[in-house]
Amino acid sequence: MNFKRDILVLTQRDLMDSGCFDFKAAIEVIEKTLVDFSKGRIIFPDKVSVVFNESTQDRINCLPGGLIDEKIYGMKWVSVFPENPYLKNLPNLSAVILLSELENGFPVAFMEGTLCSNMRTASMSAIGAKYLANPNPQTIGFIGTGEQAKSHFLAMKNVFPSIRICKISANSEASEELFIAQMKKFHPDVEFTAYHENYKDAATDADIIVTAISGQEPILKAAWIKKGAFYCHVAGYEDEFKVAQKADKIVCDDWNVVKHRTQTISRMYKQGLLKDEDIHANLYEIVTGHKPGRENADEFIYYNGVGLSYIDVALATWMYKKAKAKGCGQVITMQDKSMFD
């Protein structure tokens, strides 16, 4: 009997070197996966999440998912410790991904997962904006300037080259300066302005608003949001209830997942302030045309994504295949003979 089992181990540098930091390709992969989900070609089990601190929402999640046509099943193991950036100067998110093939059930890849996770979140938001924002937006406003904000800027700019003004606001001037320095290298055509902790000015008059903060407080106010804006809610409790109440449409990556979490609209649902019928659509319904996206220029549309495991697995599978084709990573033999030999 052949006991030999190899697994490809991929670091973030391996993934970067093989060309995986590509938002255009990631968005294409994810849109196709949303269509596959609508066709019943996706395995989407419940996740397992353990919260270690209710006030800070320190947590570790196990997120499984499968691709029937690709014959791949995988899992993202991700920790989110929101206070890391403020208290320890560390990223708030870290992740690894394991992929197994479904011919024999063997693991084929073990890979760094933060790149995939950040790109997935931002790409899903950009797909939401593609269908829900007004065409040719000029101005994007960010509250928060960390890794997710940067990923969202690159993904949004990929979908909307028309963006010419980027307004940012954070509780750290150093973080704002780093955001501008790094993003200017990618898009020198954009005018960046930092408003420090003046969140109002960053959001006011923005065609697209993104809140990407680690804290749990309602910073974004409804009065700051102009008619026709698209709001992308990335993290947890970051906007006042009036923001959702002002929206003409609320769209989620998956409402059945969102409503059991701690997002703003999740809290509203648990308090009886929001009902299932108040949610216009899940994103896959918009992408497949089963429900309308933006229907007029004046609509204010609220998008809330929390992350879907099968999207992570699909994007990780694309990355794994790309890296393997480029010869990146390290092949490790996990077993070569029976333990009894």
Side-chain angles (χ1 to χ4, degrees):
M1 185 175 294
N2 182 9
F3 285 93
K4 192 172 189 298
R5 288 186 294 117
D6 291 340
I7 189 167
L8 182 62
V9 177
L10 294 163
T11 66
Q12 186 174 108
R13 177 48 54 193
D14 293 329
L15 298 171
M16 297 285 287
D17 289 346
S18 55
C20 293
F21 192 45
D22 181 343
F23 280 101
K24 182 177 184 296
I27 288 167
E28 290 173 357
V29 168
I30 291 171
E31 279 207 66
K32 177 187 179 300
T33 305
L34 290 169
V35 173
D36 288 345
F37 178 80
S38 74
K39 295 177 179 178
R41 307 307 298 164
I42 297 295
I43 303 168
F44 186 29
D46 291 338
K47 73 170 187 175
V48 177
S49 180
V50 177
V51 177
F52 302 101
N53 186 317
E54 288 292 339
S55 63
T56 62
Q57 286 295 298
D58 292 352
R59 59 197 182 273
I60 293 180
N61 302 327
C62 175
L63 301 158
L67 315 175
I68 293 173
D69 296 334
E70 297 274 1
K71 296 183 178 179
I72 288 285
Y73 193 79
M75 172 198 82
K76 182 173 77 171
W77 181 266
V78 56
S79 67
V80 183
F81 280 58
E83 292 194 329
N84 274 2
Y86 310 115
L87 300 182
K88 303 173 184 176
N89 195 32
L90 293 171
N92 72 323
L93 182 146
S94 62
V96 292
I97 294 171
L98 178 67
L99 299 177
S100 292
E101 49 80 14
L102 295 180
E103 293 289 347
N104 305 299
F106 292 158
V108 293
F110 180 78
M111 54 201 293
E112 194 279 330
T114 306
L115 178 68
C116 177
S117 193
N118 283 337
M119 290 183 67
R120 180 266 300 159
T121 306
S123 297
M124 285 285 282
S125 297
I127 292 167
K130 175 180 173 180
Y131 292 91
L132 301 171
N134 268 309
N136 302 312
Q138 301 292 309
T139 303
I140 188 167
F142 284 92
I143 297 177
T145 51
E147 297 297 302
Q148 270 303 335
K150 295 168 191 174
S151 297
H152 273 73
F153 172 74
L154 295 177
M156 293 291 184
K157 182 68 171 165
N158 185 277
V159 171
F160 294 119
S162 59
I163 293 172
R164 290 290 179 267
I165 297 172
C166 179
K167 305 193 294 181
I168 63 173
S169 180
N171 60 4
S172 163
E173 291 187 28
S175 176
E176 291 174 332
E177 290 169 1
L178 183 60
F179 180 101
I180 293 172
Q182 291 178 331
M183 295 302 98
K184 266 191 172 296
K185 292 178 183 178
F186 289 94
H187 294 289
D189 60 314
V190 174
E191 175 188 331
F192 295 89
T193 304
Y195 290 92
H196 312 313
E197 290 190 78
N198 187 342
Y199 305 125
K200 178 180 179 181
D201 283 354
T204 299
D205 292 329
D207 301 312
I208 296 173
I209 299 168
V210 180
T211 53
I213 59 173
S214 297
Q216 298 289 321
E217 55 182 315
I219 288 176
L220 182 66
K221 309 301 180 186
W224 305 344
I225 300 170
K226 74 174 186 178
K227 186 182 294 186
F230 170 75
Y231 168 47
C232 178
H233 177 119
V234 178
Y237 181 36
E238 53 209 54
D239 55 311
E240 64 178 1
F241 289 177
K242 289 180 181 178
V243 175
Q245 291 165 340
K246 181 177 183 174
D248 296 290
K249 288 188 174 85
I250 299 174
V251 176
C252 299
D253 54 359
D254 191 304
W255 171 235
N256 282 327
V257 177
V258 172
K259 68 183 179 182
H260 300 299
R261 300 285 290 275
T262 57
Q263 272 65 23
T264 302
I265 58 174
S266 314
R267 294 167 187 248
M268 293 174 69
Y269 175 77
K270 291 167 186 174
Q271 294 180 30
L273 300 174
L274 196 68
K275 299 178 181 178
D276 290 332
E277 52 267 32
D278 294 324
I279 306 303
H280 172 66
N282 290 326
L283 186 56
Y284 81 88
E285 296 174 302
I286 303 290
V287 170
T288 58
H290 287 92
K291 290 189 177 180
R294 176 172 289 274
E295 296 179 274
N296 65 70
D298 290 339
E299 285 183 307
F300 164 48
I301 301 182
Y302 185 119
Y303 171 75
N304 191 139
V306 293
L308 306 175
S309 58
Y310 67 88
I311 300 292
D312 284 299
V313 171
L315 190 56
T317 299
W318 169 76
M319 289 181 168
Y320 157 65
K321 290 182 175 180
K322 192 170 181 67
K324 185 178 179 182
K326 294 278 188 179
C328 293
Q330 181 180 1
V331 176
I332 294 178
T333 299
M334 302 294 286
Q335 181 182 6
D336 59 2
K337 59 184 178 180
S338 168
M339 70 177 87
F340 301 108
D341 288 338

